Amino acid sequence: MSRLLLVAALSALIVPASSYINSGPSLCALRGLYSKQHRSTCTTVRAQQQVDGKPEVWRGPGNPNKKVEVYTPNWSDDFVDDLTGKRFGNGWAFYGERETLKDKDYDALAAEAEEMAKQRTIRENPVLVIGGETPFGQWIALEAMKRDLNVRILASDFDNAEFVFGTDGANADIYFGDVSNLDQLDNALDGAQSIIYAAEGTLPFGPSSFQAKHEAGLNNVLEVAKRYPSIRRAILVTPQNGGPLASMAQPFKDHAEQALRTSGLPYVILRPAQLSEVVGGELEIEVMAATDGTSVTAADTSVTPMDFAQVAVTVLLMDDVSARAEQRAAESGQPVPNLPRAKPNLTLNVANRPSRVEGDQFSALVKAIATQPADS
């Protein structure tokens, strides 16, 4: 009895409860264990390198403005573990050898934990979603995850992005940045396979102005994208704004569309009808070519963001299937199969029709997209 009392007193003196109750392995160290494996393999890289002892420009995913607290093993925690695990006295025969008797090198373990925290798993060949905070961008990212595509999010509000899409690395890789910063764009575009540009301006002036988000932001993306031949298509979302500011926003949207058309990058411009707040997945999705420059502006025409996202992701999947078929044909020496393809340059209006449907509309969308005429 006296031995037990002595052990309890020592544990209270050595380790206050507040020092270990909230301790645990850092999320950064655990991301690789819980990241879902997608179509492409994953690569483990260092999130931030040191150059001459100083941090260089932030590379890779993660939030450079948030310090990751790393749990490091220590003797005090092992002592508490032994105590709660009943490994004292004769208890070792039933519960195993004490952690405190294993002659651990705590300095080496601490260094290993620090090194693990600098590593994380990054999904390869991702779809980069810019504007994931918007209704259409958010649903496109979620639909791409649902379809098992690797997703990368560019977010200036990192905490909000994690709130919407989950902890960085769990469902998608979240990159800190804004379309106004070329270095941050370079970081996010490095290794990307496709681009979804769904950023929206909300004001006539300031960092979130129509000009900054619709026109200047896309121009920055296109400038940086030239450095990465891995990017095979850009999809631009041109939403229809209502209200008194709609006429102020439209010229910048038109400039953005023209910049994409003349960029030399394969593209699809998607023009959704008015945003609908009803439940998606119940109405037929209509895809119409807009080769004459017209857009969906009828007051009674609308589309749910969920249904609109299906169109964008269907384009991505068609590109993915075509690329894989071409690769296999090249490896085997066989001709490339005749598959439905999204043309390199498309402008499409997207809306819901009033007719109700049941089930997935993927096959119908593939046919509709493949048969649309290319931009002249």
Side-chain angles (χ1 to χ4, degrees):
M1 180 64 71
S2 61
R3 179 180 296 180
L4 290 176
L5 290 174
L6 178 60
V7 167
L10 285 173
S11 65
L13 289 172
I14 294 174
V15 187
S18 61
S19 68
Y20 65 85
I21 249 173
N22 295 320
S23 298
S26 68
L27 288 174
C28 192
L30 293 176
R31 283 177 188 135
L33 300 177
Y34 294 100
S35 296
K36 181 181 178 182
Q37 295 289 334
H38 293 274
R39 291 176 179 270
S40 302
T41 57
C42 296
T43 303
T44 301
V45 299
R46 189 181 300 276
Q48 186 180 27
Q49 303 284 354
Q50 298 284 326
V51 178
D52 296 329
K54 298 179 180 179
E56 65 172 353
V57 175
W58 181 269
R59 300 296 297 184
N63 188 353
N65 300 317
K66 184 177 181 180
K67 181 179 179 181
V68 178
E69 295 185 2
V70 181
Y71 169 78
T72 54
N74 57 79
W75 187 91
S76 300
D77 282 1
D78 281 349
F79 181 86
V80 174
D81 191 25
D82 287 340
L83 180 64
T84 57
K86 302 179 181 179
R87 302 189 189 98
F88 286 96
N90 293 328
W92 67 269
F94 302 96
Y95 303 107
E97 182 184 3
R98 296 185 207 172
E99 294 295 322
T100 51
L101 297 181
K102 291 183 178 180
D103 195 24
K104 296 181 179 180
D105 185 343
Y106 289 104
D107 290 337
L109 291 174
E112 182 180 355
E114 292 283 351
E115 186 65 22
M116 286 182 62
K118 297 176 183 177
Q119 308 288 332
R120 58 97 26 96
T121 301
I122 299 178
R123 294 167 175 82
E124 294 184 345
N125 303 318
V127 177
L128 173 62
V129 178
I130 301 173
E133 73 282 359
T134 66
F136 291 119
Q138 185 178 127
W139 275 98
I140 291 172
L142 294 173
E143 179 68 17
M145 295 178 201
K146 174 186 171 183
R147 294 290 187 176
D148 206 26
L149 292 172
N150 292 337
V151 175
R152 179 181 294 179
I153 309 291
L154 179 68
S156 57
D157 188 338
F158 202 91
D159 291 339
N160 182 65
E162 288 195 310
F163 177 78
V164 174
F165 301 108
T167 301
D168 172 35
N171 303 308
D173 295 328
I174 303 177
Y175 281 59
F176 177 81
D178 186 81
V179 292
S180 63
N181 189 305
L182 295 181
D183 287 333
Q184 292 171 346
L185 283 175
D186 185 89
N187 180 38
L189 286 164
D190 188 0
Q193 191 166 257
S194 304
I195 303 169
I196 301 288
Y197 193 89
E200 293 183 31
T202 56
L203 296 170
F205 51 82
S208 296
S209 68
F210 303 126
Q211 193 274 340
K213 293 298 183 182
H214 290 292
E215 182 181 5
L218 180 64
N219 283 333
N220 287 339
V221 170
L222 295 176
E223 177 183 341
V224 177
K226 296 176 183 177
R227 307 171 190 172
Y228 297 106
S230 62
I231 299 173
R232 60 191 182 200
R233 189 187 293 272
I235 297 178
L236 171 64
V237 179
T238 307
Q240 303 302 310
N241 291 86
L245 299 180
S247 59
M248 299 180 66
Q250 194 58 48
F252 301 111
K253 297 178 184 179
D254 294 340
H255 296 163
E257 290 188 357
Q258 186 59 26
L260 181 56
R261 290 191 180 99
T262 58
S263 67
L265 189 68
Y267 67 85
V268 172
I269 297 172
L270 296 178
R271 297 172 174 172
Q274 298 293 332
L275 177 65
S276 172
E277 300 294 342
V278 302
V279 177
E282 297 182 353
L283 299 177
E284 183 180 351
I285 305 169
E286 185 174 31
V287 178
M288 302 155 287
T291 54
D292 58 354
T294 59
S295 59
V296 185
T297 57
D300 59 346
T301 306
S302 62
V303 65
T304 69
M306 175 180 174
D307 291 332
F308 177 81
Q310 290 190 48
V311 178
V313 174
T314 299
V315 173
L316 296 174
L317 290 172
M318 292 171 72
D319 286 345
D320 190 54
V321 170
S322 297
R324 290 173 182 271
E326 291 173 0
Q327 180 180 358
R328 291 175 181 174
E331 293 172 350
S332 63
Q334 300 296 320
V336 178
N338 186 19
L339 298 170
R341 299 169 183 263
K343 295 178 178 63
N345 307 315
L346 281 174
T347 301
L348 303 174
N349 295 329
V350 183
N352 279 128
R353 302 187 66 181
S355 54
R356 292 190 171 272
V357 295
E358 294 183 2
D360 196 340
Q361 300 186 60
F362 177 74
S363 297
L365 287 175
V366 168
K367 181 177 180 181
I369 293 170
T371 55
Q372 299 302 317
D375 289 352
S376 55

